[in-house]
Amino acid sequence: MAHLAFRRRLGAAVVRVGQRVAAAGATTPLGHDSLTGLPDRSLVSETLQRWIDAARPGTSLAVLYVDLDDFKLVNDTLGHAAGDDLLEHVAASMRRYVRDGDMLGRQGGDEFVLIATGWPDRDVLEGLAARLREAAGEPVTVGGVEVRVGASIGVAVWTAETTAAALLEHADGAMYEAKAGGRDEIRWHHPGRIRDRSSDRSRVALTTALPRAIERGELTLHWQPLVSLARGTVSGLEALVRWNHPDRGLLLPAEFIPFAEETGLVTAIDDWVMSAVSAQRHAWRAQGLDPYVGFNLAANTARGAGALERVLDRLTVGGLDVAHVTVELSESAGLREDECVRAFVHGLHAAGVTVTLDDFGVAYSSLHRLREVPARWVKIDRALLRHVPDDPAATRILLASLDLIRALGLECIVLGIETGAQLELLRANGVKLGQGYLLGRPMQAAAIEPLLRAAPVTQGGGATANAA
């Protein structure tokens, strides 16, 4: 009876919220998300606190915090319109499991919250979380491509004296544990556990410090050789951006580039990289050296206003030519159905800049687009080489990828070469260029110059500034 009385009180609260929404008379009701039509963050928090205030001893109330896995990849690969379509589909799918008296809301981005009431035992709540995960993972066609994302879910159960903010935080923390545990999982918050916010504070600190890092000259480039596998000589250089953090030392791109992409700072980093690459080219030319070098561009940089002109201006500063320059785009960016990116890539090609597709084999591939992109090189991601040649299936996938790329008239660069067996297999199968710790580690410009003097560059390779 207690559950029945509580759900009646919840029903009355929902009616009051509905009356307030109707009074607003807006196309998108007050307190609701304009994309999915679900209650927004503020309405979820307000309603949750109202329900907590109305609760009695023995009331069952829980929050399920849902975060989509790989949503950013879909957004970056297929565009924001496709990302919005995916969010609408996920929201509609999860709505099917919302019972009377429950509330499903969107916290923002790719995060959703379900407030569940009146569940009789933990098994029922576990089943509800599992159904939400299945709903989020249903295959859906967006942007002309069928995609499937997972969902990491954190569950927190209300106890007396717990506020709405605390309950949401507990569920959020459990969701992050699901992410850290492998993603597409369900984790429960345990009473007494306090979420470790050190990673959150570190994230905020890095995001705040990054603009100043660019201004203060804390970014630097390291260079890793691309090697001719037949001759064992340097055939190009990959430029790798690093951050000389004043407190944390030398940071690799994986530690700050994701923040830059989320905040829009990646374009500023790309601009810095282009200027730094050109400055180094001038310095090397003064020494009689002219290696093939290049940089990676983020999709947002490539599709920005005036992107082509800005890139070409930086590449040709001081009379430099573009004959020994490679611009790399990730496979997902280069193959996306985006007219701005397509025009940018074709403009680079027309200007004489070599275009390389990076990360082949780990993103959503559009094979019909692959044959249309005016690229010269395709970089096969290290993930395809990791278990070669020990794993026969992995070896077959790698060799099939090589055959596919060659059938399209493109050349392959294989990344992540770390063993002699891998090197011999690639040589035997006609791979011209490779990169990996077996062939050469990243180093500063002064350290790599003796290699350039010892073996003049004879073939063009690729170069990446912020991807490794």
Side-chain angles (χ1 to χ4, degrees), residues 305-379:
L308 180 62
E309 292 76 12
R310 189 169 74 252
V311 169
L312 294 178
D313 284 347
R314 282 169 169 75
L315 294 184
T316 57
V317 65
L320 289 172
D321 60 58
V322 295
H324 285 191
V325 174
T326 295
V327 172
E328 291 194 12
L329 290 167
S330 67
E331 177 194 12
S332 58
L335 300 183
R336 68 194 300 176
E337 296 287 348
D338 187 314
E339 288 301 325
C340 292
V341 174
R342 181 180 302 179
F344 175 82
V345 171
H346 282 270
L348 288 179
H349 178 71
V353 179
T354 300
V355 177
T356 297
L357 292 178
D358 195 13
D359 303 328
F360 184 85
V362 296
Y364 296 100
S365 296
S366 175
L367 297 182
H368 81 278
R369 287 281 294 124
L370 183 59
R371 65 181 175 81
E372 296 173 356
V373 174
R376 176 184 175 189
W377 299 92
V378 174
K379 279 193 169 183

Side-chain angles (χ1 to χ4, degrees), residues 67-249:
D67 182 271
L68 303 185
D69 300 324
D70 297 322
F71 174 75
K72 186 177 184 301
L73 177 61
V74 174
N75 223 21
D76 291 347
T77 302
L78 303 176
H80 293 289
D84 287 348
D85 288 345
L86 176 60
L87 290 173
E88 289 185 276
H89 172 82
V90 170
S93 296
M94 291 195 296
R95 273 196 189 100
R96 299 198 305 263
Y97 302 107
V98 180
R99 307 164 304 161
D100 292 339
D102 293 348
M103 173 182 276
L104 177 67
R106 183 185 177 199
Q107 289 294 90
D110 60 344
E111 296 181 344
F112 298 85
V113 163
L114 176 67
I115 307 173
T117 64
W119 41 276
D121 53 48
R122 175 169 170 147
D123 288 343
V124 171
L125 201 54
E126 183 85 38
L128 177 58
R131 288 191 293 275
L132 290 180
R133 186 177 62 176
E134 292 171 3
E138 292 177 353
V140 56
T141 299
V142 294
V145 177
E146 183 179 281
V147 300
R148 184 194 300 265
V149 296
S152 298
I153 301 178
V155 184
V157 176
W158 175 76
T159 57
E161 309 303 325
T162 305
T163 64
L167 187 57
L168 286 166
E169 181 178 320
H170 293 165
D172 184 35
M175 180 272 292
Y176 274 101
E177 290 182 10
K179 288 277 190 188
R183 310 201 302 176
D184 200 28
E185 294 188 0
I186 300 168
R187 292 294 175 89
W188 291 67
H189 169 77
H190 300 291
R193 176 183 295 166
I194 299 175
R195 178 178 171 187
D196 179 8
R197 293 218 172 247
S198 59
S199 61
D200 292 348
R201 289 192 294 270
S202 175
R203 176 190 181 91
V204 171
L206 282 178
T207 303
T208 303
L210 192 51
R212 295 196 299 271
I214 300 172
E215 297 169 2
R216 295 172 181 174
E218 294 172 2
L219 299 184
T220 186
L221 291 181
H222 285 199
W223 304 84
Q224 187 169 16
L226 293 173
V227 174
S228 167
L229 301 190
R231 291 183 296 274
T233 56
V234 176
S235 188
L237 297 176
E238 179 180 4
L240 307 171
V241 69
R242 304 289 191 254
W243 179 1
N244 279 317
H245 193 281
D247 300 320
R248 298 177 55 179

